[in-house]
Amino acid sequence: MAENNNINTKDFIIGTLIGSMVGAAAALLLAPKSGKELRSDINEGAGQVKERASEWKDTAQEKSAGWKDKAYTTSAELRQKAMDTTSQLSKSASTKTKEMTSSVKTKLNKKKSKEEQAQQAAEDVADAIQEATEELEAAKRQG
C-alpha cells in the first residue's frame, strides 16, 4: 500500500510539472508580446520551473534520508526486541523443562521407593510364611 502511495505521489508531481510547463508555454505563446519579450519570459519561466524542481528534489532527498534513518533505527529496535524475546522464551522453556524433569524424577523415585517397599513387604511375608511352615513342621515332628 505504501508503494502505491509513492507511485501516486510521483505521478502527481510529474503531472504538476508537465501541466505547469504546458500552461506557462500556452500563456506566453498566446500573450501579445514581441519575440524578444516572449523568449525572455519563456527563459524566465523555465528558470522558475527548474528552481522549483530543484527545491522539490532537495526536499525529497531530505525526507528520504530521514525515512531511511527512521527505518534503520526502527529495524534495529525491532531486531533487539526480537532477540530479547527469543532469549526470554528460551530461558523460560529451559526452566520449565528442568522443572518438569525434576518433577518426573521425583515421582519416579517415589514410585521406585514404593515398589521397593512393596517388594520388601512381600519378602517379609514370604519369610514369615516360611518360618511359620517350618515351625508347623517342627511341631508335627515333635507332636
Side-chain angles (χ1 to χ4, degrees), residues 13 16-18 20-22 24 41-59:
I13 291 173
T16 302
L17 287 173
I18 292 172
S20 297
M21 286 188 258
V22 170
D41 288 348
I42 289 173
N43 282 336
E44 188 178 314
Q48 289 175 352
V49 168
K50 183 179 177 183
E51 188 177 315
R52 278 191 213 145
S54 177
E55 289 173 4
W56 287 350
K57 178 192 71 137
D58 293 342
T59 302

Side-chain angles (χ1 to χ4, degrees), residues 80-92:
Q80 183 62 41
K81 190 173 184 179
M83 287 173 29
D84 291 346
T85 302
T86 302
S87 175
Q88 186 178 11
L89 289 174
S90 294
K91 287 178 184 176
S92 177

Side-chain angles (χ1 to χ4, degrees), residues 3-136:
E3 185 176 304
N4 192 18
N5 237 356
N6 287 341
I7 291 172
N8 288 339
T9 303
K10 181 181 173 184
D11 291 344
F12 176 77
I13 291 173
I14 291 171
T16 302
L17 287 173
I18 292 172
S20 297
M21 286 188 258
V22 170
L28 291 175
L29 292 174
L30 296 176
K33 293 186 179 179
S34 69
K36 204 178 231 184
E37 289 177 357
L38 182 61
R39 283 190 300 274
S40 173
D41 288 348
I42 289 173
N43 282 336
E44 188 178 314
Q48 289 175 352
V49 168
K50 183 179 177 183
E51 188 177 315
R52 278 191 213 145
S54 177
E55 289 173 4
W56 287 350
K57 178 192 71 137
D58 293 342
T59 302
Q61 285 178 340
E62 289 172 8
K63 285 186 178 183
S64 66
W67 289 339
K68 179 185 127 192
D69 292 343
K70 184 175 181 178
Y72 179 76
T73 302
T74 303
S75 68
E77 289 172 357
L78 289 175
R79 183 175 10 128
Q80 183 62 41
K81 190 173 184 179
M83 287 173 29
D84 291 346
T85 302
T86 302
S87 175
Q88 186 178 11
L89 289 174
S90 294
K91 287 178 184 176
S92 177
S94 176
T95 302
K96 293 286 184 189
T97 302
K98 287 178 182 176
E99 288 174 1
M100 289 178 71
T101 302
S102 176
S103 175
V104 167
K105 283 182 180 179
T106 301
K107 288 179 181 179
L108 187 60
N109 288 337
K110 284 181 182 178
K111 184 177 180 183
K112 283 182 181 179
S113 176
K114 287 181 181 180
E115 286 176 358
E116 288 173 357
Q117 288 175 356
Q119 188 174 1
Q120 184 63 41
E123 288 175 5
D124 289 347
V125 168
D127 289 344
I129 291 173
Q130 183 68 32
E131 286 178 20
T133 304
E134 289 173 1
E135 286 179 13
L136 280 173

